[in-house]
RNA sequence: CGGGGAGUAGCUCAGGUGGCCAGAGCGCCAGAAUCGGGAUCUGGAGGUCGCGGGUUCAAGUCCCGCCUCCCCGACCA
């Protein structure tokens, strides 16, 4: 271990926020180069490679074929798919010496579609599934939490091409199984949730999430029927009963300086549930007004998905003032000529309050369709803990998690945009039906630490531990200990074990602390009990020490080690 | 991008009202003694005080500009 490049840190760097970040840094696995950009040191690299290999094996097993696509991608392809603007600010863009635009690939749908388009011409060649494990670049608004949200990261991305939806469904299921298998091999606790497809596009989507306090995916789940969905996707299917309240006369009232729902509610003495929130969004095709009951939260992801425009964003106060002549806070649906999309919660509301479309005024007793027309009705409501499960009606529960895998049924979005067609049985040209499947490889490293650690450091599962065994020579001044340590080390190496020998001339405590921080699953202490012919074996997460005799050779030791490895399961410590 | 904070030794940080203030602990190097939970002692190396400009006899310290990093909000593997 003296030779190993593992610069461990006793003190916590000041800018870490999460345990995985702290321990990976302190344990000498990674070092930061810039915000969201890291170097992997030998231990980090080893873990990364192990995760990669698990993912690779499971991909190969379902017939996906590994390829490698370029990181640098010409803008032209992205303009053709329409995502140069949609993905826009998140892309790391650059120009070559001739001034041509390029991007460091945030994902590879464009490249792969372009590739297959030129090579695959017949339904006979389908389905085709390819994948790669490569660096991805996303200029995140705010990189955070070390490897969990980096700007340069390693992802496995797979793409499938089909001649029929049935074939896509089959492959989609294969990926679902493969991803579950990866989770199982990592030995982590995980859940599969229904998800929104976001900027990738497409219809059906699932996320593979591991629960964690610092997770950024909010998961809603039902104890009773097993429904699980991300908060971006979770549907609201509750009832909005009609009332027999009579429609009163529309009235414009002065509301000086009263802008927020809360202020309006207090000022007019009306509950938030009788106010309709009007939000102006700006997208590719101009303005969209979204309407929802005042006591509910609008789910932007649902709105984007509904209008099929990922570039949609809330209009700025300046834009609203300029284009509508009204400060935000007073905008409303009456007398405004924009596309209006309303949440179902607005449907049977009677005599509600909306903005007056004039500074310092609101309308009271508004009613639709009498006073304004809603163009489309849909579900825009953010589902929260306690809302009814859309499947069985039981109140939902909420938790947070880290998204490791995300699979999508894309359909023909990219193939149509990129003009990628094949010829079917009847000799007709048809666009490929596609699926895409991502797995955050570098994020997995951090997520596993997030799930398995204690106050002393990381606790690696055997499957991805940088080394499985550390042999600690407690007192290197003791000739006998040193000799036995080396003997055991060499014997383990010969048996193909991934092992390191810690014979550094530092105090025993120092070596124990390092071993715990790094999280070797099994520690072998060659210490004072060697006098009586024993060495000790210890699982990282357990206090128990097993003494085995090495007086008559190492066979007893090997047996004990195998037994410990069989039993080893960091999930034991999760309770 | 908006709001808040920070850049001084490899790491964690002190000094900040201008001048005998270039500092501590840890780490590193040499040595001593020691060896079951980051021990101890002695000696030593190590800094463009983020960068650029300005004010001043004198600037980590005051002023201006810039850069980087971190935290809180909208994005995603």
């Amino acid at each position: 271990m003296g030779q190993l490049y593992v610069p461990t840190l006793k003190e916590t760097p000041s800018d870490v926020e999460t345990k995985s970040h702290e321990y990976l840094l302190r344990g000498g696995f990674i070092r930061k180069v810039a915000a969201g950009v890291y170097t992997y040191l030998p231990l980090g690299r080893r873990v990364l490679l192990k995760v990669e290999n698990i993912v690779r094996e499971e991909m190969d097993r379902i017939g996906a074929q590994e390829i490698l696509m370029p990181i640098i991608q010409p803008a032209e392809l992205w303009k053709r798919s329409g995502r140069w603007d949609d993905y826009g600010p998140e892309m790391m863009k650059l120009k070559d010496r001739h001034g041509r635009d390029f991007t460091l690939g945030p994902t590879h749908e464009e490249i792969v579609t372009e590739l297959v388009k030129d090579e695959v011409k017949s339904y006979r060649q389908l389905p085709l599934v390819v994948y790669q494990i490569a660096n991805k670049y996303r200029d995140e608004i705010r990189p955070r939490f070390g490897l969990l949200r980096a700007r340069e990261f390693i992802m496995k991305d797979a793409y499938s091409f089909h001649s029929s939806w049935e074939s896509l469904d089959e492959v989609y299921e294969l990926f679902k199984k493969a991803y579950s298998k990866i989770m199982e091999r990592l030995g982590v606790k995980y859940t599969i949730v229904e998800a929104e497809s976001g900027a990738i596009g497409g219809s059906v989507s699932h996320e593979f999430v591991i629960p964690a306090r610092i997770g950024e995916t909010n998961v809603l789940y039902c104890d009773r029927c097993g429904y699980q969905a991300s908060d971006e996707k979770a549907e609201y299917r509750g009832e909005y009963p009609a009332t027999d309240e009579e429609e009163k006369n529309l009235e414009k009232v002065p509301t000086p300086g009263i802008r927020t729902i809360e202020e309006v509610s207090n000022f007019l003495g009306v509950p938030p549930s009788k106010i309709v929130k009007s939000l102006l969004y700006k997208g590719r095709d101009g303005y969209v007004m979204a309407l929802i009951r005042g006591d509910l939260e609008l789910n932007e992801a649902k709105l984007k998905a509904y209008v099929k425009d990922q570039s949609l964003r809330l209009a700025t106060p300046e834009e609203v003032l300029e284009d509508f002549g009204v400060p935000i806070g007073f905008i409303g649906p009456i007398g405004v000529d924009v596309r209006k999309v309303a949440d179902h919660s607005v449907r049977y509301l009677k005599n509600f309050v909306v903005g007056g479309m004039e500074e310092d005024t609101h309308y009271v007793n508004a009613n639709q369709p009498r006073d304004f027309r809603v163009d489309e009705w849909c579900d825009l409501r953010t589902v929260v803990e306690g809302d009814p499960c859309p499947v069985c009606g039981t109140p939902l529960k909420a938790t947070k998690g880290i998204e490791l895998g995300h699979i999508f049924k894309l359909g023909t979005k990219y193939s149509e945009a990129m003009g990628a067609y094949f010829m079917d049985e009847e000799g007709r040209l048809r666009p490929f039906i596609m699926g895409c499947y991502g797995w955050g490889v570098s994020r997995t490293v951090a997520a596993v630490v997030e799930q398995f650690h204690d106050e002393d450091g990381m606790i690696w599962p055997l499957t991805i531990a940088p080394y499985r065994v550390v042999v600690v020579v407690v007192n290197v001044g003791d000739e006998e200990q040193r000799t036995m340590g080396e003997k055991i080390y060499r014997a383990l190496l010969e048996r193909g074990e991934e092992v390191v020998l810690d014979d550094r001339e530092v105090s025993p405590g120092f070596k124990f602390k390092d071993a715990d921080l790094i999280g070797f699953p099994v520690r072998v202490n060659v210490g004072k009990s060697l006098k009586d012919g024993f060495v000790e074996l210890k699982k990282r997460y357990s206090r128990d020490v097993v003494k085995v005799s090495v007086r008559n050779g190492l066979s007893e030791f090997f047996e004990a080690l195998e037994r410990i490895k069989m039993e080893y399961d960091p999930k034991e410590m999760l309770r």
Side-chain angles (χ1 to χ4, degrees), chain A residues 17-31:
Chain A
E17 201 66 11
T18 62
K19 282 297 172 189
S20 62
H21 192 191
E22 175 188 340
Y23 289 147
L24 288 169
L25 235 27
R26 283 185 51 206
F29 284 59
I30 59 171
R31 284 292 182 265

Side-chain angles (χ1 to χ4, degrees), chain A residues 331-346:
Chain A
I331 56 174
I334 299 179
V336 187
D337 185 26
V338 295
R339 178 178 178 190
K340 295 184 195 99
V341 179
D343 180 67
H344 298 301
S345 59
V346 177

Side-chain angles (χ1 to χ4, degrees), chain A residues 506-546:
Chain A
V506 292
S507 70
F510 194 99
K511 285 178 277 202
F512 294 152
K513 285 286 186 189
D514 261 2
D516 286 351
L517 177 61
I518 292 167
F520 301 105
V522 183
R523 192 173 86 204
V524 179
N525 293 336
V526 183
K528 59 189 174 191
S529 52
L530 186 62
K531 285 198 304 290
D532 307 316
F534 293 101
V535 299
E536 300 151 359
L537 287 166
K538 185 184 164 300
K539 292 183 212 159
R540 169 62 181 82
Y541 57 84
S542 157
R543 298 216 172 284
D544 305 337
V545 170
V546 179

Side-chain angles (χ1 to χ4, degrees), chain A residues 249-426:
Chain A
N249 290 335
L250 183 69
E251 223 182 303
K252 203 176 216 179
V253 298
T255 50
I258 306 298
R259 295 157 186 278
T260 66
I261 295 288
E262 200 188 344
E263 287 166 0
V264 172
S265 169
N266 290 334
F267 184 80
L268 296 175
V270 171
S273 58
K274 292 281 271 183
I275 301 172
V276 167
K277 221 188 294 196
S278 314
L279 299 164
L280 269 173
Y281 280 84
K282 203 171 182 178
R284 251 195 320 259
D285 308 320
Y287 285 100
V288 175
M289 182 180 281
L291 302 169
I292 190 167
R293 216 170 68 192
D295 58 327
L296 303 176
E297 201 187 319
L298 181 110
N299 185 331
E300 222 167 79
K302 285 186 183 176
L303 180 65
K304 284 180 181 174
Y306 181 79
V307 303
K308 297 192 169 61
D309 182 357
Q310 289 299 322
S311 66
L312 207 67
R313 58 169 177 78
L314 214 47
T316 65
E318 294 73 34
E319 287 168 344
V320 174
L321 193 59
E322 188 167 319
D323 293 334
F324 296 88
V326 189
I328 57 162
F330 301 102
I331 56 174
I334 299 179
V336 187
D337 185 26
V338 295
R339 178 178 178 190
K340 295 184 195 99
V341 179
D343 180 67
H344 298 301
S345 59
V346 177
R347 186 152 227 158
Y348 300 111
L349 270 189
K350 294 284 180 203
N351 303 318
F352 48 87
V353 176
V354 294
M357 274 325 262
E358 187 184 315
E359 188 158 7
D360 296 340
T361 65
H362 277 79
Y363 283 110
V364 298
N365 298 328
N367 287 287
Q368 64 74 33
R370 186 192 69 185
D371 302 323
F372 63 94
R373 226 192 70 228
V374 169
D375 298 294
E376 293 137 282
W377 296 97
C378 60
D379 172 27
L380 295 177
R381 175 172 176 169
T382 300
V383 172
V384 297
E385 187 154 23
D387 282 345
C389 169
V391 176
C392 72
T394 308
L396 290 168
K397 293 187 173 168
T399 121
K400 289 179 170 239
I402 299 167
E403 175 189 348
L404 289 189
H406 201 159
I407 59 180
F408 307 83
K409 289 185 188 175
L410 288 179
T412 55
K413 171 175 171 170
Y414 293 94
S415 46
E416 279 180 33
M418 312 282 297
Y421 298 90
F422 66 96
M423 195 157 289
D424 71 8
E425 295 91 322
E426 274 107 49

